[in-house]
Amino acid sequence: ARLLGDSAGGVLVAIIDALDEATDPAHLAGRLLRPLIEHGQGHIRLLLGTRRHVCMHLGPSQPRAWEEIDLDAPRYADRQSLAAFVRRILLSGDPARAAVPPFVGCSPAILEEVTAAIAEAAGRSFFVARILATTQAAQPAVPDPHEPAWRASLPSQAGPAMRQDLETRLSGQAERAINLLRPLAYAQGPGLPWEDIWPLLANALAVGHGYTNDDLLELAERAGSYIVESGTLEDRSLYRLYHRSLTEYLRVSRDQDADENAITTALVRHVPLRDNGRPDWGGAHPYIRTYLPDHAAGTEIIDILAQDPGFLLAADPPHLLAALDTTTGDAARAAA
């Protein structure tokens, strides 16, 4: 969020982006922002960046409590900038790769036709355009832009474009990369810590592979453009996926309840034990103390955790209280 004060007019302007990526966007929109909109009396103005489904929680748009500006509308499309962006990537390639792109030295006509085809497939998405152009720039030869099969092979969404890029560049290791990226799609808060937790969850979601930190180092080297360092948790770096659309893609074909149950089980088992065999929650990894309640919410494990005094004392209170609302058993509800 960013605040812009207007001292002359007595108006506070708050710019809040990615509202739909909050932990509970419906609650944030309905319980915090809607009252500000309805009772601000002209002293507060909000500029909110969000996907459309959150708008319903802001209250009725009429009378004009709020106005929608659809940035996906054709009037905001910038075809020339998108094409220039694609062309630049085709000619420069990925700085992390030493190979000279095949488009350097090709005929200007072919370059423009390939650029136009990629721009058409990407629509208005610069992110999809970046993936498609980077993939083509890593190829050993320039494609035939008049070949219908090649044009039809260009994905129009970020998730399929990422998979095609990985399959093209990683020589049969694409599924391994997907398995290593998937834990980031389930990360709570700003992101997932590398040490201990990321490989732990990769193995929980892809049983039998035995992924290690070395695998993550190779992933960062070969597919690092899909990963962003997103902050710290008690001086530990956190990582997330580059774009929310990648999160959706890596989760959509999965049994997400089963995945969360596997993640929760792995995190609980990772807690060190005291001499008496009980979990030492105070000595648990800070990600576990903070975000285990979020992962456990809605699973059967939350009922067990709700009756563990050590967990209740060590867990982060706001995350814990929200998770306790999902308990179902009588004893767990009483403890909650």
Side-chain angles (χ1 to χ4, degrees):
R2 185 176 182 183
L3 301 179
L4 305 176
D6 182 355
S7 57
V11 177
L12 177 68
V13 180
I15 302 173
I16 306 176
D17 194 18
L19 179 59
D20 55 296
E21 297 187 26
T23 301
D24 190 347
H27 181 89
L28 178 59
R31 300 294 296 275
L32 174 63
L33 299 180
R34 180 172 178 175
L36 291 177
I37 292 172
E38 294 178 345
H39 304 294
Q41 299 180 341
H43 296 293
I44 298 176
R45 299 185 65 190
L46 303 178
L47 180 60
L48 310 176
T50 180
R51 297 187 184 189
R52 184 175 282 106
H53 68 271
V54 179
C55 295
M56 61 181 291
H57 300 289
L58 296 173
S61 59
Q62 299 296 334
R64 300 176 66 83
W66 57 272
E67 178 181 357
E68 178 182 301
I69 302 173
D70 183 5
L71 296 182
D72 282 331
R75 64 179 293 191
Y76 294 109
D78 189 346
R79 303 287 185 183
Q80 290 184 339
S81 293
L82 183 66
F85 178 66
V86 170
R87 189 182 304 110
R88 184 168 67 249
I89 294 175
L90 292 177
L91 291 173
S92 62
D94 186 343
R97 303 167 194 160
V100 177
F103 295 92
V104 175
C106 82
S107 75
I110 294 295
L111 174 63
E112 291 308 311
E113 289 176 343
V114 173
T115 297
I118 292 176
E120 180 181 359
R124 293 187 290 272
S125 173
F126 278 75
F127 181 46
V128 174
R130 191 195 80 174
I131 299 174
L132 296 180
T134 301
T135 302
Q136 292 302 318
Q139 300 305 300
V142 174
D144 180 358
H146 303 291
E147 174 58 49
W150 174 79
R151 299 178 74 96
S153 72
L154 296 174
S156 60
Q157 296 180 333
M162 176 187 68
R163 176 173 282 276
Q164 182 188 75
D165 177 51
L166 294 175
E167 289 175 346
T168 301
R169 294 191 295 105
L170 300 188
S171 303
Q173 296 296 314
E175 199 60 38
R176 175 169 168 266
I178 291 292
N179 288 342
L180 292 169
L181 289 169
R182 184 167 284 115
L184 299 183
Y186 287 94
Q188 295 290 335
L192 207 61
W194 184 304
E195 35 76 56
D196 291 343
I197 302 300
W198 189 349
L200 174 76
L201 299 191
N203 290 315
L205 296 176
V207 178
H209 287 81
Y211 295 123
T212 67
N213 278 322
D214 288 339
D215 295 301
L216 294 181
L217 288 170
E218 185 176 353
L219 176 75
E221 179 181 349
R222 305 184 69 184
S225 60
Y226 298 111
I227 304 167
V228 175
E229 187 171 353
S230 53
T232 59
L233 177 65
E234 296 188 14
D235 296 326
R236 294 166 169 86
S237 295
L238 300 175
Y239 299 87
R240 62 173 175 82
L241 292 167
Y242 182 84
H243 197 272
R244 183 62 175 260
S245 59
L246 302 181
T247 297
E248 296 168 351
Y249 175 76
L250 291 173
R251 295 179 62 155
V252 68
S253 62
R254 304 278 297 184
D255 182 339
Q256 296 180 35
D257 291 337
D259 281 351
E260 284 290 12
N261 191 76
I263 288 171
T264 303
T265 300
L267 292 175
V268 170
R269 290 176 177 172
H270 195 61
V271 177
L273 299 178
R274 298 182 181 275
D275 292 339
N276 61 6
R278 296 191 59 80
D280 179 12
W281 291 106
H285 191 285
Y287 182 85
I288 295 176
R289 298 197 308 270
T290 305
Y291 296 113
L292 177 60
D294 299 279
H295 288 293
T299 72
E300 295 180 356
I301 301 174
I302 190 60
D303 277 27
I304 300 173
L305 295 174
Q307 300 173 69
D308 186 329
F311 170 75
L312 298 178
L313 287 170
D316 186 71
H319 296 269
L320 173 64
L321 294 175
L324 290 178
D325 286 340
T326 69
T327 53
T328 56
D330 290 342
R333 292 298 302 160

